[in-house]
Amino acid sequence: MKKSSVVFRAAAVGAALCLTLALAGCGADSYASSTAYMTAGATDYGTSAKMAPEEAGQGVQLDTDSTLDPRQAQEGRKIIYTASLSMESTDFEGTRAALLTAVEDCDGYLESTSQGGSAEYGTRYVSYTARIPAERYREFLGLADEAGNVLYLNENAQDITSSYVDVEARLAALKEQRDRLNALADKAETTADLLEIESQLSEVQYQIESYTSQMRLMDNQVGYSTVDIQLEEVRTLTP
């Protein structure tokens, strides 16, 4: 091969690597910004649906026609629905069993649970964090309302559509960048060039895995609503 041809090819590979380095730097900066919603919080799409009643012991009637309903969300939007319930019951075991049945019937699962108190003194309590398929979120709240006396209900919806679309676009760009680097690796004529390209491929692949993990997390949060439940036992007073 002529010396001028080698020099030209080396220069071309070097220029391509410079462009790739610039893109990788932009990708790293954009990754930090696109994950901001995870620490700072997504856009508040809704407010508290119900507040605690002023008189102790007064129940809250759940609004089954609430606008915070995943079934009514605009198509294509990525919205995370969450709710917090505070309940009491004189039939502690019955209410707890009904709540667990409701989770199962709605194809959900318990993410965490804790309990304490004394059955002898009627001071038992249990806390659940339930993950419910978004399309059955409203149905589950209705079943919880039937299981015991709801003292407090707070609902919230966070629209993360812009963050999701941003991550999706950057992931696609990184995959294209990976393809370009693989093409350059096939044309590399020196070990030094190949090692540099492989180093960039490693960095790009790391960012791809990070974005992919973030998208999976967002998909899970959107697909499964989170409902925190606090149930406390109330003793029946005898004359």
Side-chain angles (χ1 to χ4, degrees), residues 196-212:
E196 181 63 26
I197 293 171
E198 288 179 344
S199 175
Q200 290 305 309
L201 272 171
S202 178
E203 174 62 25
V204 169
Q205 185 60 40
Y206 170 77
Q207 292 187 47
I208 287 175
E209 291 172 359
S210 296
Y211 277 116
T212 300

Side-chain angles (χ1 to χ4, degrees), residues 100-133:
L100 295 177
T101 298
V103 172
E104 183 177 353
D105 289 347
C106 290
D107 299 322
Y109 64 92
L110 292 181
E111 188 173 68
S112 66
T113 180
S114 64
Q115 58 186 355
S118 167
E120 179 181 358
Y121 296 102
T123 58
R124 288 176 294 178
Y125 64 87
V126 65
S127 297
Y128 295 127
T129 295
R131 301 299 306 282
I132 307 297

